[in-house]
Amino acid sequence: QVQLVESGGGLVQPGGSLRLSCAASGNIFSITGMGWYRQAPGKQRELVARISSGGSKNYADSVKGRFTISRDNAKKTAYLQMNSLKPEDTAVYYCNLYPARGFWGQGTQVTVSS
């Protein structure tokens, strides 16, 4: 079982940046893919970005060119660098294993507003 703790969210103006962190417990972090997901009020949870154990990356079309996913295996931490933020990026952001998801953490709120 892996435990996940997201952090780094907050209130930011359109065009601003945030860096989210996902600290993971357990012994499997380095050999599993990781994904960042988000859920806006009244909407389904969606996959935003993913990174394989080998470091290959994929992004949702809505965030390509603006978001960057990365990982530090020594620290058992995944990151999501978010630039050029838009109001439609407002959501609770979660990390999890990809594709075999475990329990969800508490998430971190990202609010993009003027």
Side-chain angles (χ1 to χ4, degrees):
Q1 183 179 2
V2 62
Q3 290 187 316
L4 304 163
V5 180
E6 301 94 339
S7 62
L11 175 64
V12 65
Q13 296 182 71
S17 298
L18 285 172
R19 182 177 173 85
L20 308 184
S21 297
C22 170
S25 66
N27 299 319
I28 65 170
F29 181 86
S30 65
I31 61 172
T32 189
M34 296 294 295
W36 280 97
Y37 304 76
R38 68 186 181 189
Q39 187 167 27
K43 296 185 178 181
Q44 297 177 328
R45 180 181 282 129
E46 63 174 338
L47 179 66
V48 173
R50 56 185 169 104
I51 183 169
S52 74
S53 60
S56 63
K57 304 172 182 180
N58 281 275
Y59 301 93
D61 287 343
S62 59
V63 307
K64 282 182 179 177
R66 301 188 297 120
F67 290 12
T68 303
I69 189 171
S70 61
R71 64 192 297 160
D72 185 332
N73 289 343
K75 296 182 178 180
K76 296 183 179 180
T77 302
Y79 304 94
L80 186 68
Q81 178 67 46
M82 306 186 296
N83 299 325
S84 302
L85 283 161
K86 304 175 180 180
E88 47 264 47
D89 295 319
T90 296
V92 178
Y93 284 72
Y94 304 87
C95 66
N96 214 322
L97 310 179
Y98 186 90
R101 292 160 292 177
F103 294 115
W104 297 97
Q106 83 286 353
T108 185
Q109 176 71 50
V110 172
T111 302
V112 185
S113 176
S114 299

